[in-house]
Amino acid sequence: MRIAGKGLINRKKPVSFTFDGTVYSGFEGDTLASALLANGVKLMARSFKYHRPRGVLTAGSEEPNALVTIGNGASQDPNVRATVQEIYEGLEARSQNRWPSLAHDVMAVNDLGAPFLGAGFYYKTFMWPKAFWEKLYEPVIRRAAGLGALSGAAVTDKYERAYAHCDVLVIGAGPTGLMAALTAAEAGVDVILAEEDSVLGGRLLSESGEIDGVPARDWAEATVARLQGMANVRIMTRTSVTGAYDGGTYGALERVGHHGVVAADLPKECFWRIAAKRAVLAAGALERPVAFQNNDRPGIMLASAVRSYVNRWNVAPGKAVAVFGNNDSAHDTAADLLAAGVHVSALIDSRPDATTDLPVPFYAGAHVCGSEGRKALEAVSISRASGIDKVQADCLAMSGGWNPTLHLTCHMSGRPDWDEAIAAFVPRAGMVPGMIAAGACNGVFSTAACLGEGAGAALAALDGLGVEAEMPALPAAEARDYRISPLWAVPGKGRAWLDFQNDVSVKDVKQAAVENFRSVEHMKRYTTQGMATDQGKNSNVGALAVLADATGRGIPETGTTTYRPPFQPVAIAAMAAGSEDKGFAPERLTTSHELTVKAGAPMIEAGLWYRPSYFPRSGETTWRQSCDREVMHVRQAVGVADVSTLGKIDIKGPDAGALLDFLYTNMFSTLKVGRVRYGLMLREDGHVMDDGTTARLAEDHFVMTTTTAAAGQVMSHMELITQGVKRKLDVRFTSVTEHWAQFAVAGPKSRELLNGLLDAPIDGESWPFMACGDVSVGGVKARLFRISFSGEQAYELAVPSRYGEALFAELRKRAEGLGGGVYGMEALNVLRIEKGFITHGEIDGRMTAFDIGMQGMMSKKKDFYGKGAAARPGLLDDERPQLVGLKPVGVVKQITAGAHLYKDGAEAVRENDQGYVTSVGFSPEMGSFLGLAFLKGGRARHGETVRMVDAMRGVETTCEVCHPVFLDPEGERARD
Amino acid sequence: MRIACPLCGERDLREFTYKGAALALAYPSEAASAQEWDDYLHNRDNPAGPTRELWYHGSGCTSWLVVTRNTVTHEILAVELAENAEEASA
Ligand SMILES: [Zn+2]
């Protein structure tokens, strides 16, 4: 019910919204919770396990009960806290976890079966028979117990990630945070003030006190105005700091577009990564409930929440409100209710020495021990020495004291200390380097003390930054002592709830202790207390106190569970923002990409690069037809392929040769200028890292090529060698992969093609196999390498990238004119398999030079990286897998990559494994599948037949083991 | 986590990649014994406390850095360029 008063709602701007299809009206400034209460709606949700009717418990982000689903379809958000959701015109909210409706939920029968559903129920009941768990129990339980559901559709809303830096991050904008931000900002440092609420002020927005002689809320407004006027202050509202990480890094979630349409280009949420040199934690404190029988009835809420609804939103949460507590918060609440004209039916204080001047029925040394009502509170039972009184109340405001919101101080393995005086945990100093806790989150509760701590923390932060500043004059404010007498659970029968969100009662925690789950971490997992989306913000300390009592220990000895990020639920979509699709894997495109796609070539990924599989021609219906044709183009005429994706590293300096000698197993310093050599590179452990060719363009100038996949790895490897291992080398190198577009021109007609294109013709004698040098193409200086990955007479022609597309078009036209054409990765793969050339299919990180038959390339004349490790006996064993070729000789004429090899006639079991197939291609020239494989001691087994079994694809055949070079073993074609 | 690269200044963790113990700098000579190779390749201390590690500033200046870091507190005690770091200590 809306009442008079000067709250933070704009009565001139009514807002209509729906809840479960019913249209309601609220005001700008309302949350969904305050607007529903104003409309008399108290039943907002059903509980997780027992489907008990629940209303709102809090007025903040810690809300365990009032979870709703907002929106529809792909942008549907489940488990939104009604206390956080601001209303806007057209907002659609729905209740969750009920069927067919919130008022009539058939699953509420779970509540009747409650004695059977207590702590450890799942563990005990559904253990047997085992198969029933997955097929029957789990699906049924999941349907019955649950929260809101996802839509199942891919997210269409925009989410964003962003980064911010500051000198001082102030977390929370209550009195402490405002004072801290102001003090730091006046010293001239960069300040970020992050506040999860939409309005700054924290508890000041909900309390009736004064600061410096004006209403506290006005002081907050004036202070915020000052901060807004300062260029070195950035205020972030609706932003929850969710985690504290190493090096002053903080995660924060900003709710950008959850309160209606803000702007079309803004995201729904933004996940911030804030790097702060210093931080002041001013997160405040959370009031805790008291456990008593049926303390979860709609209408029962925290005393601080009642004050918020009355003072901030001008909503009376009931017509007759009872107030119950163990500290002065209860008295403040009763006073505020009376001031707002709301009837207070009883004030119950568990402290026997408590007094009051308020004109209300007062019960000192008494407890609320029960509640009555159907779907909403109707009366409370009050127990005192003389007996039990029943008092009519449709709302109960309860306060069990306050817990400092110290979560962030524990995110880096910190543990809090127990403070007996306030019956709460307080942060230990220095648990997060650079972060200082101040005010209520530090266990200091009066407004005056909070203002002082805020300023003091800012000074300490400034001191850490080397900035001198003086303590500002502190505004005058309430400086009352906090008096509390611990009260966790009121004795009595029935279920007294601790964890509202996961339906965990005092009895459950006691049961856990009886069954010897005495460690707080065990109790938590056994009862599920604190494991819901609210992470037990309302219940952790209470449950711990009950466990401590049940096990006869003190609270500090019992200890706390671990506080982990995120402090508030964060949608995966927000954390992953920017990392989907191309954000996850950016595309690297060659200069020929557009023409290639236009030619209809299906593209495949090679690392981040995209390369063509094959170039289909009309009449070809399968990829194999295209591939076979492209292979024969190269073998019989001429083929052209873009090989620009190979890594290219330009190396210069007097010691360039010496560097290459150390990097490669074979010698490069002896390579003549104008020549290319194939090289093999090892890791420090003696296994092959990469291979490729390196050309010597001048005495002190080489250009190295790496495989496409290992380009980055080789680059950082070279950096490590030159910076860490061989530091004295006078050499510089840089990646030039993107600078050059490079094309393979391969086949018996390759020279003919080039001679029609180059400005000056070449011949076989002046350009022998493995020659390199500068050439000119249409006046453009280009590089020509006579190298071959196909075994044919072949060249690679490189031009600066800006000419790549034009050159590709020209090469393609000329190749087609000579009866050839462009070829893709499939053909390239067949061509190299026919020649036994390796790729990372073979050098997969587990292979040595010996394994791949290149032991001859390991120079005996010099040291090279990995040499010592490669000489270890285990790496030279004759029984190691060795590279061989395979030809199918069985009935099935197919070889499949990944298939395993066994001795002919041996059973295909792991113990008999002899090796496996790494690469397979169909050779049109030989009319057969060919395979490369690793076989135990394979080099000595040429001619043997082995059994090949592909258990995955169900293919089995017999293969003949042969030399891995199937075609032109003497290499005559390449030298032609 | 943030690392203060001597060349680039303080940067976010994600600009760097981790290699392992700074032992990698103490590359054995060709004549090293099998035991020396074993120690170099495989044997690592696992201290609860300061440890020297190699990090690569691949998204920055491409420097290899020796980072002295406390494995318990994650505090970074020192960062130096690998090319200036002492070779034989781990
Ligand atoms: Zn750097």
Side-chain angles (χ1 to χ4, degrees):
Chain A
M1 189 181 62
R2 197 73 72 174
I3 53 178
K6 217 172 141 270
L8 288 175
I9 46 164
N10 185 355
R11 292 182 198 253
K12 287 185 194 123
K13 288 220 172 141
V15 174
S16 65
F17 64 98
T18 65
F19 178 60
D20 280 343
T22 306
V23 180
Y24 295 100
S25 182
F27 294 115
E28 189 183 80
D30 262 325
T31 63
L32 181 60
S34 68
L36 284 174
L37 286 175
N39 282 279
V41 178
K42 286 185 179 173
L43 175 63
M44 297 188 196
R46 288 279 174 171
S47 76
F48 178 71
K49 199 155 105 183
Y50 300 122
H51 293 247
R52 289 170 67 89
R54 292 279 168 83
V56 69
L57 179 72
T58 74
S61 65
E62 77 274 27
E63 174 61 31
N65 281 345
L67 306 186
V68 298
T69 297
I70 303 291
N72 283 298
S75 65
Q76 163 174 326
D77 278 315
N79 308 330
V80 175
R81 291 148 291 174
T83 50
V84 172
Q85 177 65 50
E86 297 164 55
I87 61 163
Y88 54 88
E89 195 61 39
L91 169 74
E92 285 178 36
R94 279 170 291 143
S95 59
Q96 305 179 155
N97 197 28
R98 80 288 186 266
W99 188 84
S101 76
L102 190 55
H104 305 282
D105 179 2
V106 297
M107 293 310 288
V109 295
N110 276 6
D111 199 30
L112 303 175
F116 309 106
L117 288 168
F121 165 72
Y122 300 123
Y123 304 117
K124 290 172 192 163
T125 313
F126 296 119
M127 291 307 292
W128 187 90
K130 220 174 165 185
F132 274 34
W133 173 251
E134 237 175 77
K135 294 198 174 76
L136 180 67
Y137 299 141
E138 195 185 356
V140 169
I141 291 167
R142 285 211 184 277
R143 209 176 313 141
L147 298 170
L150 292 165
S151 67
V155 171
T156 51
D157 294 309
K158 214 167 113 182
Y159 288 81
E160 211 167 73
R161 262 192 313 189
Y163 305 83
H165 301 257
C166 63
D167 293 318
V168 180
L169 168 67
V170 179
I171 303 162
T176 312
L178 287 175
M179 203 62 211
L182 191 64
T183 307
E186 299 224 297
V189 301
D190 283 328
V191 175
I192 291 179
L193 175 57
E195 166 57 51
E196 64 175 7
D197 204 335
S198 57
V199 188
L200 280 74
R203 283 305 301 172
L204 301 180
L205 305 176
S206 296
E207 304 292 2
S208 51
E210 292 189 340
I211 294 180
D212 260 356
V214 298
R217 189 194 299 164
D218 295 353
W219 178 85
E221 202 180 312
T223 307
V224 170
R226 273 176 76 187
L227 289 168
Q228 280 166 338
M230 299 168 88
N232 56 331
V233 179
R234 175 178 192 164
I235 296 174
M236 299 174 74
T237 53
R238 301 184 177 96
T239 304
S240 307
V241 175
T242 56
Y245 304 90
D246 289 320
T249 303
Y250 295 84
L253 181 72
E254 182 184 3
R255 304 186 316 279
V256 184
H258 278 294
H259 50 289
V261 177
V262 182
D265 59 336
L266 286 179
K268 197 169 194 176
E269 290 176 2
C270 179
F271 190 77
W272 289 88
R273 185 179 276 250
I274 302 172
K277 294 191 182 113
R278 289 289 183 279
V280 175
L281 181 69
L286 296 175
E287 199 169 20
R288 56 198 185 208
V290 179
F292 59 87
Q293 188 183 1
N294 295 326
N295 60 338
D296 63 334
R297 232 179 268 289
I300 301 180
M301 54 186 89
L302 294 173
S304 58
V306 168
R307 292 203 299 286
S308 293
Y309 291 118
V310 169
N311 294 329
R312 176 170 173 177
W313 289 291
N314 299 141
V315 172
K319 291 188 181 77
V321 183
V323 184
F324 170 40
N326 62 348
N327 66 92
D328 294 338
S329 286
H331 296 252
D332 295 345
T333 309
D336 286 0
L337 284 163
L338 291 174
V342 181
H343 174 62
V344 176
S345 56
L347 172 60
I348 307 108
D349 194 323
S350 67
R351 299 171 297 181
D353 60 340
T355 58
T356 185
D357 300 332
L358 297 172
V360 292
F362 182 60
Y363 302 79
H367 298 141
V368 171
C369 61
S371 76
E372 281 169 40
R374 276 173 57 78
K375 287 180 184 97
L377 182 68
E378 286 164 18
V380 293
S381 302
I382 300 166
S383 75
R384 47 179 177 165
S386 57
I388 290 183
D389 285 11
K390 235 176 228 183
V391 171
Q392 206 183 12
D394 58 353
C395 171
L396 174 72
M398 63 176 161
S399 177
W402 292 82
N403 289 328
T405 307
L406 49 74
H407 304 62
L408 258 63
T409 67
C410 298
H411 279 184
M412 288 167 68
S413 306
R415 293 278 166 178
D417 290 321
W418 181 253
D419 184 342
E420 201 68 50
I422 61 168
F425 284 103
V426 290
R428 210 175 279 175
M431 289 288 91
V432 173
M435 186 169 85
I436 305 157
C441 71
N442 198 34
V444 166
F445 295 138
S446 82
T447 310
C450 284
L451 293 166
E453 284 230 333
L459 290 183
L462 290 168
D463 187 54
L465 295 168
V467 177
E468 271 184 49
E470 287 194 3
M471 191 71 174
L474 293 174
E478 161 272 313
R480 212 168 40 180
D481 280 343
Y482 175 66
R483 278 184 58 240
I484 180 168
S485 158
L487 174 64
W488 310 106
V490 174
K493 288 189 167 179
R495 282 174 295 165
W497 301 98
L498 288 164
D499 184 332
F500 290 76
Q501 205 181 20
N502 260 358
D503 277 347
V504 179
S505 68
V506 169
K507 222 161 128 185
D508 292 325
V509 174
K510 285 183 176 167
Q511 183 64 27
V514 165
E515 295 184 26
N516 217 21
F517 293 96
R518 294 160 60 91
S519 145
V520 63
E521 297 283 5
H522 288 157
M523 177 278 287
K524 166 181 171 166
R525 283 153 184 83
Y526 195 56
T527 63
T528 73
Q529 182 277 322
M531 290 169 71
T533 61
D534 69 346
Q535 297 186 48
K537 288 193 182 70
N538 306 107
S539 60
N540 281 343
V541 178
L544 179 61
V546 171
L547 180 69
D549 188 48
T551 55
R553 293 172 295 180
I555 289 173
E557 293 77 47
T558 308
T560 63
T561 52
T562 310
Y563 296 85
R564 292 189 178 88
F567 175 68
Q568 296 292 355
V570 179
I572 297 292
M575 282 198 278
S579 298
E580 332 85 279
D581 302 333
K582 289 175 195 173
F584 177 72
E587 290 173 323
R588 295 177 81 180
L589 304 179
T590 63
T591 56
S592 65
H593 185 81
E594 219 170 289
L595 290 176
T596 302
V597 170
K598 230 180 257 176
M603 303 302 278
I604 51 167
E605 290 174 37
L608 298 177
W609 289 101
Y610 284 77
R611 305 186 75 180
S613 297
Y614 55 96
F615 292 84
R617 284 192 182 172
S618 62
E620 291 170 350
T621 53
T622 68
W623 69 269
R624 262 285 306 282
Q625 289 174 317
S626 309
C627 175
D628 289 356
R629 172 183 50 73
E630 289 171 13
V631 169
M632 293 317 286
H633 279 164
V634 175
R635 293 274 175 245
Q636 293 173 351
V638 60
V640 168
D642 192 331
V643 292
S644 308
T645 62
L646 270 71
K648 299 182 267 300
I649 300 172
D650 203 85
I651 306 166
K652 276 187 178 173
D655 290 333
L659 170 63
L660 292 167
D661 281 347
F662 190 64
L663 281 172
Y664 281 125
T665 62
N666 47 335
M667 199 72 94
F668 274 80
S669 53
T670 56
L671 182 66
K672 289 195 188 94
V673 173
R675 287 291 181 275
V676 185
R677 186 167 286 170
Y678 174 80
L680 202 63
M681 224 178 257
L682 306 187
R683 286 193 314 238
E684 68 267 37
D685 64 0
H687 291 82
V688 177
M689 182 167 81
D690 201 38
D691 68 344
T693 59
T694 290
R696 191 167 204 166
L697 302 177
E699 198 58 42
D700 62 349
H701 187 194
F702 292 81
V703 70
M704 172 194 283
T705 60
T706 73
T707 58
T708 300
Q713 185 193 354
V714 170
M715 192 69 194
S716 75
H717 175 67
M718 287 171 65
E719 298 283 11
L720 181 62
I721 297 287
T722 52
Q723 293 175 37
V725 181
K726 289 273 174 198
R727 303 180 192 181
K728 301 275 153 55
L729 295 176
D730 188 359
V731 62
R732 294 289 179 272
F733 52 88
T734 188
S735 168
V736 292
T737 305
E738 254 88 359
H739 302 49
W740 295 89
Q742 193 155 321
F743 302 94
V745 181
K749 293 184 180 173
S750 58
R751 195 179 304 136
E752 186 183 343
L753 186 155
L754 287 176
N755 278 340
L757 183 70
L758 300 178
D759 296 344
I762 55 169
D763 59 46
E765 270 158 46
S766 57
W767 278 86
F769 184 54
M770 299 304 258
C772 70
D774 288 343
V775 292
S776 176
V777 186
V780 172
K781 196 178 151 187
R783 286 175 182 169
L784 189 67
F785 308 86
R786 188 166 171 195
I787 51 180
S788 176
F789 198 50
S790 59
E792 295 299 328
Q793 178 195 92
Y795 301 82
E796 288 188 13
L797 181 60
V799 290
S801 288
R802 59 188 179 279
Y803 302 111
E805 187 173 18
L807 180 60
F808 179 74
E810 192 60 32
L811 289 171
R812 179 182 172 182
K813 193 179 77 189
R814 287 170 188 268
E816 285 169 1
L818 291 168
V822 286
Y823 63 101
M825 290 303 100
E826 295 295 349
L828 187 145
N829 196 42
V830 171
L831 291 162
R832 68 97 187 170
I833 290 170
E834 288 176 330
K835 286 293 296 174
F837 292 144
I838 54 169
T839 66
H840 281 291
E842 283 71 41
I843 45 172
D844 64 356
R846 296 177 292 178
M847 296 304 157
T848 66
F850 187 80
D851 299 339
I852 55 173
M854 293 195 189
Q855 61 275 28
M857 285 180 67
M858 312 255 280
S859 174
K860 294 192 172 66
K861 293 180 196 152
K862 53 149 193 167
D863 191 15
F864 56 84
Y865 199 64
K867 185 179 188 180
R872 291 176 294 165
L875 297 189
L876 302 168
D877 195 306
D878 281 338
E879 283 298 286
R880 281 185 63 83
Q882 293 173 344
L883 184 69
V884 295
L886 291 180
K887 288 181 207 162
V889 292
V891 182
V892 176
K893 301 290 184 214
Q894 193 188 1
I895 306 180
T896 56
H900 277 249
L901 305 175
Y902 307 89
K903 278 187 178 156
D904 207 3
E907 199 189 343
V909 292
R910 185 178 54 78
E911 292 79 358
N912 294 337
D913 194 62
Q914 293 280 300
Y916 53 92
V917 182
T918 55
S919 297
V920 174
F922 182 83
S923 167
E925 188 161 335
M926 301 188 171
S928 167
F929 274 100
L930 303 175
L932 295 178
F934 283 99
L935 183 66
K936 262 189 194 174
R939 275 198 290 279
R941 295 170 68 174
H942 293 177
E944 191 180 314
T945 54
V946 291
R947 185 176 173 205
M948 186 211 85
V949 179
D950 185 336
M952 291 287 288
R953 300 183 186 88
V955 178
E956 178 170 352
T957 189
T958 308
C959 292
E960 184 194 321
V961 179
C962 60
H963 192 275
V965 181
F966 298 93
L967 203 74
D968 185 23
E970 303 305 317
E972 283 164 11
R973 296 188 193 183
R975 288 179 174 78
D976 190 17
Chain B
M1 182 169 154
R2 298 173 70 76
I3 296 175
C5 171
L7 300 183
C8 307
E10 196 184 279
R11 299 297 180 95
D12 189 90
L13 165 73
R14 286 173 301 174
E15 293 188 8
F16 302 86
T17 43
Y18 174 75
K19 164 115 180 146
L23 198 62
L25 299 178
Y27 187 75
S29 75
E30 198 183 345
S33 67
Q35 184 58 49
E36 283 172 278
W37 276 107
D38 196 30
D39 285 342
Y40 172 71
L41 292 171
H42 304 299
N43 294 335
R44 295 289 181 272
D45 291 330
N46 186 16
T51 174
R52 292 177 82 234
E53 302 168 337
L54 270 177
W55 290 76
Y56 179 53
H57 197 189
S59 298
C61 60
T62 69
S63 286
W64 279 93
L65 308 174
V66 175
V67 176
T68 308
R69 196 175 66 92
N70 186 318
T71 57
V72 178
T73 62
H74 297 187
E75 188 187 355
I76 292 175
L77 304 163
V79 185
E80 57 184 331
L81 294 173
E83 61 184 31
N84 298 334
E86 209 170 303
E87 283 180 44
S89 60

